[in-house]
């Protein structure tokens, strides 16, 4: 197997696994019983999406995608923090459920 | 086989492992029974999965600047994932019932008290 | 002149001599510079600074090792067919002996990324860290493991 073949096979396998991971975390976002479960699944989803974009960068050779991947990771972190604070503030304004 | 060939094969293996860990993280988030155990899967397997994919990018791009950016991305990921998990766990602990935490504190205090009475 | 400045200057010198200012080449220069400085440490660096660097490196190595172990262990738990038998979730209260904000932050982050443990919250008086354990044997074992591993290293680093 030449390096080019190995690369194309590995990125193909990785893309399939990451797509499955995206699908599974979407299921958790839909069924997740509490808001915190959904936020957790969303956080995981951004990390998986980052991996997906990174793999796309390797497969296409367009390293511009790497910047998108890092921006996604940044955005996911900020979103999770904002949502965690939202969960906290929802309680303090309404009292414990 | 040259050095760059070895780097490509190593990058392929790391990439597949990273994708596998991401998949395991999302299986865990789906299968595990409650939020805190799910958080274990998302924070550990998720961070390792994402980090390994970025490491594969660093190995496979053959460009020092891009490799450096990918490695900074890994460091960033490892710094932010625990913070995000911690904030979410903390928010959830303030929202839901706090009995497991209180029980743990009581257990710790009961163990401490013989020392403090000395 | 501090060690960092010397290493930086050596790295720039290396890049200038080889005529290549790319990141990787600067890194190589810095590595060679650090090696040279560490060989001549009696002339440049006070031994304390060097010990700090070594402690930091040892903490980093321990961290990456534990991170790999924890990811594999979580993967095994997730893929067990019978989840109930593999899971014994529990919250453990860990008495903190490190006090400053920086130390607690570092310790909490390290705990989250290591096998089977996840930090939840710090008590208001900063004396207790609540840790969630995925597969708990006994609270004492968990407390002893953290206190002897990461906490000792973090305290050493900031001492």
């Amino acid at each position: 197997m030449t390096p080019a073949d190995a690369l194309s096979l590995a990125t193909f396998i990785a893309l399939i696994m990451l797509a499955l991971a995206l699908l599974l975390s979407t299921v958790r976002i839909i069924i997740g019983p509490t808001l915190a479960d959904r936020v957790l699944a969303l956080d995981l989803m951004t990390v998986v999406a980052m991996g997906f974009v990174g793999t796309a960068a390797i497969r296409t050779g367009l390293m511009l995608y790497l910047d998108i991947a890092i921006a996604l990771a940044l955005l996911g972190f900020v979103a999770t923090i904002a949502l965690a604070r939202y969960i906290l503030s929802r309680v303090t304004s309404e009292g414990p459920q | 086989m040259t050095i760059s060939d070895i780097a490509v094969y190593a990058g392929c293996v790391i990439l597949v492992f990273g994708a596998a860990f991401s998949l395991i993280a999302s299986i865990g988030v789906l299968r595990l029974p409650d939020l805190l155990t799910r958080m274990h899967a998302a924070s550990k397997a998720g961070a390792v999965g994402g980090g390994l994919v970025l490491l594969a990018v660093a190995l496979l791009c053959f460009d020092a600047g891009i490799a450096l950016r990918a490695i900074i991305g890994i460091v960033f990921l490892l710094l932010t994932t625990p913070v995000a998990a911690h904030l979410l766990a903390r928010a959830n602990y303030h929202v839901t019932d706090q009995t497991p935490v209180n029980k743990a504190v009581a257990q710790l205090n009961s163990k401490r008290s013989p020392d403090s009475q000395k | 002149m501090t060690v960092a400045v010397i290493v930086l200057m050596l790295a720039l010198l290396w890049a200038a001599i080889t005529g290549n200012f790319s990141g990787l080449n600067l890194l190589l220069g810095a590595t060679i510079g650090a090696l040279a400085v560490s060989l001549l440490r009696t002339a440049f660096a006070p031994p304390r600074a060097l010990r700090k660097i070594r402690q930091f490196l040892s903490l980093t190595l321990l961290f990456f090792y534990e991170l790999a172990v924890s990811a594999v262990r979580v993967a095994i738990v997730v893929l067990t067919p019978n989840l109930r038998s593999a899971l014994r979730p529990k919250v453990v209260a860990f008495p903190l002996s490190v006090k400053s904000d920086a130390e607690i932050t570092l310790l909490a982050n390290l705990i989250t990324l290591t096998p089977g443990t996840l930090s939840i919250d710090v008590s208001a008086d900063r004396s207790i860290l609540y840790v969630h354990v995925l597969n708990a044997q006994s609270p004492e074992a968990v407390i002893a493991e953290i206190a002897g591993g990461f906490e000792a290293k973090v305290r050493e680093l900031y001492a």
Side-chain angles (χ1 to χ4, degrees), chain B residues 21 23-29 31-45 47-48 64-65 67-68 74 77-83 85-87 89-91 93-94 100-109 111-112, chain C residues 22-25 27 63-64 67-68 70-72 74-84 87 89-96 108-122 127-130 132-134 139-140 143:
Chain B
F21 271 117
L23 182 57
I24 284 167
S26 54
I27 293 174
V29 165
R31 272 193 81 194
L32 292 172
D34 62 62
L35 180 79
L36 285 170
T37 49
R38 275 174 211 150
M39 213 163 260
H40 280 278
S43 67
K44 286 173 198 120
V48 169
L68 198 65
I74 296 173
L77 197 68
L78 290 182
L79 282 179
T80 56
T81 315
V83 175
H86 167 78
L87 264 175
R90 188 166 171 273
Y93 144 70
H94 283 286
V101 170
N102 292 338
K103 213 161 72 189
V105 173
Q107 204 174 7
L108 181 72
N109 286 339
K111 242 186 314 274
R112 262 185 184 169
Chain C
S22 75
L24 204 62
N25 201 36
L27 201 68
F63 167 70
F64 278 113
L67 182 63
S70 79
V72 171
V74 167
I76 291 170
V77 168
V78 166
L79 298 179
T80 346
N82 181 7
L83 263 184
R84 295 261 163 251
L87 280 178
K90 192 175 209 167
V91 175
V92 171
F94 176 71
L96 282 169
N109 275 13
L110 289 174
I111 284 173
T112 295
L113 287 179
T114 52
T117 53
L118 184 91
S119 48
I120 302 174
D121 202 359
V122 182
S127 63
I128 298 172
L129 183 69
Y130 305 131
H132 183 262
V133 188
L134 192 57
E140 291 86 2
I143 290 173

Side-chain angles (χ1 to χ4, degrees), chain B residues 51-70:
Chain B
L52 283 180
V53 171
L54 283 184
L55 188 64
V57 175
L59 264 176
L60 292 171
C61 65
F62 297 109
D63 181 324
I66 289 166
L68 198 65
R69 225 180 301 163

